[in-house]
Amino acid sequence: MHLVHRLSIGEEILEIFGAKLGDWLLILPALALDSPCWVKLVDSKEVVALTPPPWQRKELPLIHLPAGLLELLGATVGRSEISLAWQEGLRPPEGRRLLLSSVATSSSSSSSYREAALKSFFHVPRTLRLGEVFSVPLHGLSEPLRAIEVAQNPMESRVFPDFEAMEEEEVYQIAPHLGFHEGSAVDPLHGFAFCQLFSFKVEMVEGASESRHGNQSFQINQSAEIILKGSCNARGVPYISSHLFCESPPPILPSLRQPMERLLGILAPVVRSWQLHGCQEAAPSVLSIGPRGCGKRILWHSVCERLGLHLLEVNCSELAGGAGAEARVQELTQDASKLSPCVLCFRRLHALSKAGPSTSPAATLLQHRRVEESLNAALQAVRSRSAHPLVLLAGSCEDLEEIGGPLRQVFRLEMELPRPSEAHRLAVISRFFSATGRDGHSKRHVKDVKDVPNGDGHEAHSLGETMAKLTAGLSYSDVRSVCTEVLMSFPSCALELPAPSDLQDAIEQSVKRLQGGSKVAVTLASKVQWADVGGLQDAKDEIINCITLPLSQGDMFAGQKVRSGVLLFGPPGTGKTLLAKAVATECKVHFLSVKGPELLSMYIGESEKNVRSLFQNARDLAPCVLFFDELDSLAPARGRGSDSGGVMDRVVSQLVTELDTMPATAARRGGVFMVGATNRPDLLDRSLLRPGRLDRMVYLGVASDKRPLLKAISRKFVLASEREGLLECVAEPWWETLSSPKGALMIFEEQCPTNLTGADVSVLCADAYAIAQREHIAQLHELAEGLKVQISSLLLFLDAWEAKPKTSGLVLYGSQQCEAFVLAHHTGTLDRSFRDVSAAVGLLLSQDSAADIAQRASFALAERTLTCPDRLARSCFSMLEALQVRVGQRHFQEALSNLQPSVPMEDLHRYEKLRGEYQNTKA
Ligand SMILES: Nc1ncnc2c1ncn2[C@@H]1O[C@H](COP(=O)(O)OP(=O)(O)OP(=O)(O)O)[C@@H](O)[C@H]1O
């Protein structure tokens, strides 16, 4: 049975009464003996005990009352004491017709929503009293409850009226804890429900029969006729989310624990002193600052629930731009005082600064000042009232810089909320999975997910851990989006997890999409390895000394001042970006990359803000490498006055300030290392290169020995030597095997211009590959023609083979292609020569039906797999390798003949001069 008022009551209270299911309780305010209320206990097992306020831990048991009931009792949260008594056999009469009026709310919502909420509310029997105001959330469960204290031993301390004499009393029923209905608005990540609340007033009830206890309270069943007519001016029931669902407050989000405890520590004494003495002296107003979705709103909800305060929220986007903002502020303050004790929370304060594109800074400032004045005046007026209502002011914004000085002054305390750390994200991801009924999911193992950076050098083991790592730098709301998207992408993952690489792709895609608006490209896991960087050994050593060692051997560097920055300089295309990415991979840390000009903005103050938020991101992602490409465009020498407003000078100053805060941060949070790259160190502001900032200057130049470059860039090619016009696979690249004084390499090197940079060599290799590929395609056409099959079928076959895992013979046996090969082998058609491979492919492609092949292959397999599966599989692999693109010396030679070095010799000399001037590391 579900009834309108649900009551959450501590077990110790039940023990006092010895109450059992079906019993009725009498609630009696200590100071108003004339208006007691009846409540019925439905299921004591479902009862949730709430955490008492900090000052009364272990003192008084708590009872949660419906707000409507509280109103009827004339009790106040935290101030009133009530008594309880019980007796069996009482029951409210049944109401046949109900006339309701809707309570006017500030939000304009469609009447169809209102009716929908009402309908779902009366889906189950409810008990209502004439004149009562009750509230229904849009997702329709019950109305808010509030916490009030109960005397420790109510039976002893109070005198109860005679039950039989109480004919006129209101009857309330305690319904069980309903749990979350389908359609419940409770967020699986943080456990809060932010939904719209509609209030109604009971204007008239017509009963089926006259009540033994008077005719004021009725049970309304589904069969009752409910009429909603007009609106009234009654006060709505305040909204407190967990009360709404008769829950104990959800566990606080992990990164909010500290801020919440701090807030409780500050506010609890104020509330307590107001309760004891009825006045508030220095009620602190608190501004919480943090990125979108980091839990600012939840923080205030949690604090209010724990202190038993109402929360009146105002979204400043609704105030912004309107002419009547000041009047609205006063109105809201009045409303808050009626809800006393109440927190009046102005959310998204920064919206007040964005009143409109045409608003000048002066006009915005003026508006801020007016809002500040009216807010202060309204609060003052409330506090000086004789009733001494308690109204605490709160605010939240994303960036302090965005709210003007006057508004900032309204708040006495500023509290920054951090982004969730990896451990925090893991905790909420696990909670999300269990709240969405996929308990085991976050713990499922995803062993093969690679390249997930991790400061401690270990790899992620479970889906939850993998997600926590890949969502680095995201706020809670973004983490929830990623979780939801992952679940939606793999609806079947309740049964089995998708392939690790698919999963990683899905997570990365989702993260990228969320970061779409950000100026900073966060490469969460850089894939470039040391092996991809050819040569540059000195630069690598230097970076290992400066960055890699302190990061990987953090303990040994504890307490020491570590270098925070390295500047890489040199001609374009010499591998500066590549090297920075390799550092991130090798250290298994995050990699934030930004090109200087991306941070610049035409709007005043925006560029400096971008720099600040970039460093904030870096600190949140620590340990990480923060890479500035084209640093000269972001930090040119100051004082040149090249831009009208001196924007660049301010950006440089901001950059210097942030750099100065880095060593301390590095020591505390595990390291943010800055790597800058520029072609023109001479254009940079000298202050950046001062000791303690980007003080290691590493020159990346053009090496005369191109072999390491060739080796690194063509690492993934199938290199071949040429014999009798045919390309043969070789274990070593051709330039290694033929490096005798008069060998091919010498000739090749002689032909290579000395000023080829890494990027040029990369183009050379790509061209050589393209030439080899053209040849290869011509060969395939020839092959297809000989086999009398479509080239598209042949390419499809090769693609399918490429896509199969090549490591396990057994896995390959499962694929149709392999079966066909086994069949070919079995029938003696498969051999090591290219011609026989053609025959095998021909055999496969000329078959009429794949099913036929599979069937015949399975017979073959039945005989063969038992004897030598691996050898057989290996022979299939080597045959197919003959159909890969092979790159030989002549391809390189042809590519070289068409190549123009990107850096002319004279420029190179200029760079060499700069090197002499700036490099402060060994040559
Ligand atoms: N030492 C190297 N080893 C391997 N590849 C290299 C090397 N140097 C450059 N390359 C190739 O050249 C490309 C461009 O290099 P990169 O972007 O790192 O140069 P850069 O010095 O940052 O250039 P810019 O100054 O123009 O930004 C790389 O993607 C890589 O393919």
Side-chain angles (χ1 to χ4, degrees):
M1 194 197 306
H2 304 302
L3 296 163
V4 64
H5 293 306
R6 293 179 288 142
L7 191 60
S8 160
I9 184 170
E11 276 189 24
E12 57 279 4
I13 302 178
L14 294 181
E15 271 169 32
I16 293 170
F17 295 120
K20 57 184 190 308
L21 293 191
D23 287 354
W24 286 87
L25 291 183
L26 177 73
I27 299 192
L28 193 67
L31 302 174
L33 289 179
D34 55 347
S35 56
C37 296
W38 284 102
V39 290
K40 185 175 184 185
L41 184 63
V42 179
D43 188 351
S44 63
K45 276 191 230 113
E46 306 266 13
V47 160
V48 190
L50 290 202
T51 328
W55 61 83
Q56 63 162 45
R57 242 164 236 162
K58 296 195 204 102
E59 281 174 31
L60 288 177
L62 262 196
I63 180 166
H64 273 203
L65 292 185
L69 179 55
L70 204 73
E71 299 266 339
L72 295 172
L73 289 168
T76 319
V77 170
R79 288 181 95 180
S80 307
E81 291 188 351
I82 58 163
S83 305
L84 299 174
W86 68 279
Q87 193 188 24
E88 290 172 271
L90 296 179
R91 183 173 300 277
E94 199 181 311
R96 271 195 320 208
R97 294 180 85 204
L98 185 67
L99 180 69
L100 302 176
S101 61
S102 58
V103 175
T105 52
S106 50
S107 67
S108 55
S109 52
S110 127
S111 62
S112 58
Y113 283 139
R114 190 180 301 269
E115 279 157 30
L118 200 59
K119 215 167 168 182
S120 83
F121 180 71
F122 283 108
H123 190 66
V124 290
R126 308 285 182 178
T127 307
L128 290 172
R129 172 192 183 257
L130 190 63
E132 175 182 351
V133 174
F134 64 97
S135 289
V136 182
L138 183 54
H139 293 274
L141 286 184
S142 183
E143 88 282 44
L145 308 174
R146 295 179 60 180
I148 64 171
E149 290 175 15
V150 218
Q152 199 151 23
N153 193 343
M155 297 298 272
E156 273 173 23
S157 58
R158 304 290 164 219
V159 180
F160 292 100
D162 175 10
F163 289 127
E164 293 305 317
M166 287 174 41
E167 291 290 301
E168 296 298 314
E169 301 314 334
E170 304 83 14
V171 180
Y172 278 87
Q173 191 154 15
I174 306 176
H177 158 66
L178 294 177
F180 302 136
H181 271 200
E182 61 322 332
S184 140
V186 175
D187 187 299
L189 196 90
H190 49 66
F192 276 90
F194 300 122
C195 57
Q196 198 171 354
L197 208 62
F198 299 104
S199 298
F200 302 92
K201 189 175 175 195
V202 181
E203 299 285 359
M204 260 169 67
V205 191
E206 238 176 66
S209 60
E210 193 65 359
S211 163
R212 190 159 70 89
H213 296 282
N215 57 4
Q216 293 218 311
S217 289
F218 294 87
Q219 184 171 321
I220 312 295
N221 294 322
Q222 273 165 285
S223 57
E225 190 184 340
I226 295 161
I227 304 154
L228 179 61
K229 204 175 157 197
S231 58
C232 66
N233 278 332
R235 183 153 66 88
V237 185
Y239 177 121
I240 292 182
S241 138
S242 70
H243 292 175
L244 192 66
F245 295 99
C246 198
E247 280 287 292
S248 50
I252 185 78
L253 287 174
S255 64
L256 300 184
R257 198 162 293 136
Q258 257 187 350
M260 189 188 71
E261 267 164 25
R262 196 169 153 219
L263 267 184
L264 286 178
I266 295 166
L267 298 182
V270 177
V271 177
R272 187 64 179 151
S273 119
W274 172 78
Q275 286 171 346
L276 291 175
H277 313 295
C279 61
Q280 48 166 324
E281 306 102 44
S285 42
V286 187
L287 178 63
S288 50
I289 309 125
R292 206 181 57 83
C294 74
K296 300 183 288 294
R297 190 178 187 192
I298 290 166
L299 175 72
W300 282 108
H301 272 256
S302 306
V303 166
C304 286
E305 289 191 307
R306 280 158 177 83
L307 291 179
L309 305 176
H310 284 294
L311 178 62
L312 184 64
E313 289 184 317
V314 191
N315 188 342
C316 289
S317 325
E318 287 162 20
L319 292 183
E326 298 96 289
R328 181 86 184 102
V329 162
Q330 289 193 350
E331 216 174 273
L332 286 162
T333 319
Q334 295 298 328
D335 287 352
S337 75
K338 285 184 201 153
L339 291 176
S340 164
C342 175
V343 169
L344 174 59
C345 181
F346 287 87
R347 295 176 56 223
R348 301 195 184 157
L349 269 170
H350 47 269
L352 284 178
S353 308
K354 293 185 180 151
S358 57
T359 316
S360 68
T364 309
L365 191 70
L366 206 66
Q367 199 207 1
H368 284 179
R369 194 146 283 153
R370 280 207 230 103
V371 170
E372 179 228 8
E373 278 167 11
S374 57
L375 193 58
N376 277 336
L379 283 174
Q380 202 50 48
V382 164
R383 283 167 195 161
S384 57
R385 281 214 209 129
S386 53
H388 296 303
L390 179 68
V391 175
L392 299 169
L393 187 65
S396 68
C397 70
E398 285 172 29
D399 188 350
L400 264 185
E401 301 300 321
E402 281 188 9
I403 68 165
L407 268 186
R408 207 171 149 179
Q409 281 163 19
V410 174
F411 298 93
R412 296 209 192 142
L413 194 78
E414 288 170 0
M415 189 175 271
E416 268 194 52
L417 302 189
R419 276 177 209 269
S421 70
E422 190 180 314
H424 297 156
R425 290 193 304 274
L426 178 60
V428 294
I429 288 169
S430 308
R431 193 197 288 180
F432 179 92
F433 278 116
S434 73
T436 49
R438 290 167 168 95
D439 278 38
H441 266 53
S442 58
K443 294 182 193 107
R444 292 260 181 97
H445 285 254
V446 190
K447 284 195 188 100
D448 301 336
V449 176
K450 294 278 187 280
D451 299 328
V452 179
N454 187 345
D456 60 11
H458 293 113
E459 266 166 20
H461 294 303
S462 69
L463 175 58
E465 281 172 21
T466 309
M467 286 179 84
K469 282 178 203 313
L470 290 173
T471 48
L474 297 193
S475 59
Y476 288 115
S477 56
D478 291 344
V479 169
R480 184 197 31 226
S481 305
V482 174
C483 289
T484 316
E485 272 185 36
V486 167
L487 282 188
M488 273 162 45
S489 318
F490 303 104
S492 63
C493 74
L495 302 172
E496 72 182 69
L497 276 183
S501 55
D502 291 350
L503 198 62
Q504 189 170 358
D505 281 353
I507 300 171
E508 277 176 352
Q509 284 284 325
S510 170
V511 171
K512 268 209 190 100
R513 200 183 50 70
L514 287 166
Q515 284 169 341
S518 149
K519 298 240 177 238
V520 188
V522 180
T523 312
L524 291 166
S526 148
K527 308 244 161 74
V528 180
Q529 296 165 345
W530 276 142
D532 293 319
V533 184
L536 307 179
Q537 196 50 49
D538 294 341
K540 280 186 195 170
D541 292 346
E542 190 60 44
I543 287 187
I544 286 177
N545 285 340
C546 286
I547 297 180
T548 318
L549 284 180
L551 270 178
S552 57
Q553 315 287 318
D555 297 345
M556 293 172 69
F557 287 79
Q560 280 183 36
K561 198 169 176 187
V562 289
R563 287 190 185 285
S564 57
V566 172
L567 181 73
L568 307 175
F569 72 105
T574 44
K576 298 180 283 295
T577 313
L578 198 71
L579 196 60
K581 284 187 178 169
V583 172
T585 319
E586 288 306 312
C587 308
K588 289 192 190 290
V589 294
H590 294 296
F591 183 68
L592 265 93
S593 151
V594 64
K595 281 195 193 300
E598 283 175 350
L599 291 180
L600 300 178
S601 163
M602 59 189 279
Y603 297 105
I604 297 170
E606 194 74 4
S607 311
E608 299 93 295
K609 190 186 145 210
N610 287 343
V611 173
R612 268 198 313 277
S613 69
L614 173 69
F615 276 86
Q616 186 54 50
N617 275 354
R619 281 190 284 269
D620 292 339
L621 280 177
C624 75
V625 169
L626 175 53
F627 177 63
F628 280 92
D629 212 352
E630 298 172 37
L631 189 60
D632 46 300
S633 59
L634 188 69
R638 277 178 286 189
R640 299 237 173 118
S642 51
D643 60 308
S644 53
V647 175
M648 292 315 297
D649 288 4
R650 288 202 302 273
V651 168
V652 178
S653 309
Q654 186 68 47
L655 203 58
V656 169
T657 314
E658 296 290 347
L659 270 175
D660 287 345
T661 62
M662 288 226 300
T665 319
R668 213 179 59 241
R669 300 198 52 182
V672 174
F673 293 92
M674 182 161 157
V675 179
T678 178
N679 305 132
R680 299 290 307 271
D682 51 324
L683 297 185
L684 285 179
D685 192 90
R686 301 293 291 198
S687 64
L688 276 182
L689 311 179
R690 211 203 66 184
R693 294 173 189 156
L694 294 176
D695 54 1
R696 297 307 275 173
M697 311 268 293
V698 182
Y699 180 75
L700 303 195
V702 176
S704 54
D705 183 4
K706 310 291 179 216
R707 259 180 300 174
L709 274 175
L710 280 166
K711 207 171 171 177
I713 297 170
S714 62
R715 207 156 66 92
K716 292 179 182 151
F717 290 5
V718 178
L719 293 164
S721 280
E722 205 163 330
R723 217 175 38 172
E724 294 165 11
L726 281 174
L727 288 171
E728 272 189 1
C729 285
V730 282
E732 288 202 301
W734 54 268
W735 56 79
E736 295 281 357
T737 47
L738 303 176
S739 60
S740 60
K742 291 212 169 6
L745 181 70
M746 285 295 285
I747 300 164
F748 183 70
E749 272 205 312
E750 271 166 27
Q751 293 168 346
C752 269
T754 42
N755 54 338
L756 282 191
T757 61
D760 293 335
V761 175
S762 154
V763 170
L764 173 76
C765 291
D767 285 353
Y769 188 86
I771 297 168
Q773 199 174 30
R774 273 205 300 275
E775 257 178 38
H776 173 73
I777 290 172
Q779 273 181 355
L780 288 181
H781 273 277
E782 214 175 286
L783 175 64
E785 220 166 90
L787 294 168
K788 298 199 176 21
V789 292
Q790 294 278 329
I791 180 75
S792 52
S793 319
L794 185 61
L795 292 177
L796 262 178
F797 163 72
L798 290 176
D799 278 353
W801 178 74
E802 263 301 313
K804 291 289 158 201
K806 299 175 200 167
T807 44
S808 151
L810 291 171
V811 173
L812 233 139
Y813 278 139
S815 83
Q816 244 172 39
Q817 286 82 3
C818 184
E819 284 162 2
F821 267 87
V822 174
L823 179 65
H825 194 279
H826 187 55
T827 51
T829 6
L830 195 61
D831 199 6
R832 278 181 175 269
S833 76
F834 189 78
R835 211 172 295 112
D836 287 334
V837 173
S838 321
V841 175
L843 181 82
L844 171 77
L845 296 172
S846 62
Q847 296 301 316
D848 293 336
S849 93
D852 189 30
I853 304 173
Q855 199 191 13
R856 284 204 271 154
S858 63
F859 289 127
L861 277 171
E863 289 172 31
R864 287 283 177 176
T865 44
L866 295 174
T867 51
C868 54
D870 285 341
R871 193 178 58 78
L872 205 58
R874 264 200 301 280
S875 90
C876 290
F877 297 146
S878 60
M879 291 306 101
L880 280 163
E881 255 154 29
L883 291 177
Q884 284 179 326
V885 179
R886 296 170 173 205
V887 195
Q889 187 184 350
R890 67 179 142 90
H891 304 128
F892 279 95
Q893 218 97 43
E894 193 181 332
L896 186 61
S897 63
N898 297 324
L899 190 73
Q900 276 293 327
S902 59
V903 184
M905 263 336 244
E906 51 282 18
D907 284 7
L908 208 57
H909 292 315
R910 239 192 26 244
Y911 282 113
E912 285 296 330
K913 244 177 89 191
L914 280 177
R915 169 196 201 161
E917 253 177 75
Y918 286 92
Q919 174 156 306
N920 58 9
T921 58
K922 66 179 169 150

